[in-house]
Amino acid sequence: MSSNASVAPVGVGLIGLGTIGTGVAKVLAENAAVIEQRLGFPLRLVRIADLDLETDRGVDLSEIRFDSDSDGLIADPEVDIVIELIGGYGIAKKITLAAIDAGKHVVTANKALLALHGEEIFGAAQGKGVDVAFEAAVGGGIPVLRAVREGLAANQIESVLGILNGTTNYVLTEMERTGEAFDEVLKRAQELGYAEADPTFDVDGIDAAHKLALLAAMAFGAKMTFEDIPTEGIRGLLPIDFEMAEHLGYRLKLLGIAKSLHDADGSPRIDARIHPTMVPADSMLANVDGAMNAVAVTGNAVGPTLYYGAGAGELPTASAVVGDLMEIAREIRRGRAGRVAPLSYPANELVALPLAGTGELFGRCYLRFTALDRPGVLAHITGALGERGVGIESVFQEGHAEEGDSVPVVMLTHPAREEAIREAIDEIDRHSHVTEPTRLIRIEEEL
Ligand code: HSE
């Protein structure tokens, strides 16, 4: 290392000293030697800004200027790269744009911000000739964005399928393991720190949609925001869904799915969606348990590839942030930013590809009806499906309800168009002997 002593360090300023920020400070301190060996010069955390100056984060900050002045940090000539770890769409956006405007490179883990305002932020960065890097935004410590953007750049990407949210994967794994209801498992997940006090973004699939929007943009060169993606979370799944999934040879996962489609005339479209999915129990994604994440990417040259690891957490996420810092630091030393466009495609190559509607999906579906246990109910349900050309592969109804009580009736359909299944469900759910909205769970066989 002494051979590199003459090369000046690249300076880093960190805004937001929460869990990930603390991890970044730790990785930069603990791995300083290997980072310097790999770069050929040191990476120095020169300044931190956070509103909380009191909490002991368990890391030595004595050599680092630490105050609440984020404007001062951005303007500081010793800071070459600004790390934004505040999160959210509001202040984080202002800080990111201010840093870019000041000619600073930015590293962020903020998927929400980029999945909504990516075009504006990347455009501003291009205008200023600075980089915006965000490996930590998808899959925490898993370097899946770099894999899609660079390692697989020679491919036409066919599909990206992933378990993109650790909180929901933990809840689903626990519901399956214990047979407990969603609310009980979620409460325990919150007590153990796996789920936030306000779990909305995670359990309703929004966090996964943020991540899928970024992955799909990179994979297909598609201009998209997360609001374009049909999103269904894991609320409303019942213990019986897990029992039936096991019986049928599947496991339940919240999948982010993005596929490249072509119309008959060859024009491209994207099928992108987030929803609970039954996946074959022996598939690799089915066996990703607890808070882990995994992303399967298939390219026309490489075939299927799989990326697995910790999707959140202090040190795994910091690993991705510091990897980005190193990449940008190399560019700074090289004297030229923008080696690879943030979304893999230069901004002028990104196109607004039409999205396929979920009604167009074709496949087998799991349907859970909740109906009064009366003669004729089953005939009505199968009739409504049959009239629309939806065949039934199997029917399950266990037990017998007292007069006036409901029972779950589960059906597995033959491959059918989802629009037809939805129409049948609409009709079925209007009938007075159906007491709860019917739940449809899609089955993904090709994993
Ligand atoms: N809340 C996310 C998850 C981690 O549960 O996976 C941050 O993206």
Side-chain angles (χ1 to χ4, degrees), residues 365-369 385 409-411 413 421 425 438-440:
C365 284
Y366 165 100
L367 304 177
R368 169 175 35 85
F369 303 96
L385 289 162
V409 177
V410 168
M411 290 186 191
T413 71
I421 302 178
I425 291 174
T438 296
R439 181 79 193 210
L440 176 154

Side-chain angles (χ1 to χ4, degrees), residues 123-151:
Q126 194 179 353
K128 277 283 178 180
V130 297
D131 278 319
V132 175
F134 50 98
E135 184 63 66
V138 178
I142 313 171
V144 62
L145 296 186
R146 189 159 281 124
V148 174
R149 191 171 47 218
E150 301 194 37

Side-chain angles (χ1 to χ4, degrees), residues 20 109 111 136-140 163-169 194-196 201-202 207-208 211 291-293 311-313 317:
I20 306 172
K111 63 229 88 178
V138 178
I163 294 171
L164 299 170
N165 183 268
T167 304
T168 45
N169 205 46
Y194 283 108
E196 308 269 348
F201 266 36
D202 291 319
D207 174 75
K211 295 167 178 168
M292 300 306 274
N293 281 195
T317 312

Side-chain angles (χ1 to χ4, degrees), residues 148-163:
V148 174
R149 191 171 47 218
E150 301 194 37
L152 302 179
N155 288 261
Q156 294 173 35
I157 305 290
E158 294 169 355
S159 65
V160 179
L161 284 94
I163 294 171

Side-chain angles (χ1 to χ4, degrees), residues 69 93 96 163 168 261 267 272 312 386 388 415 434:
D69 181 10
K93 183 180 175 199
T96 300
I163 294 171
T168 45
L261 304 178
S267 41
R388 291 164 181 87
V434 173

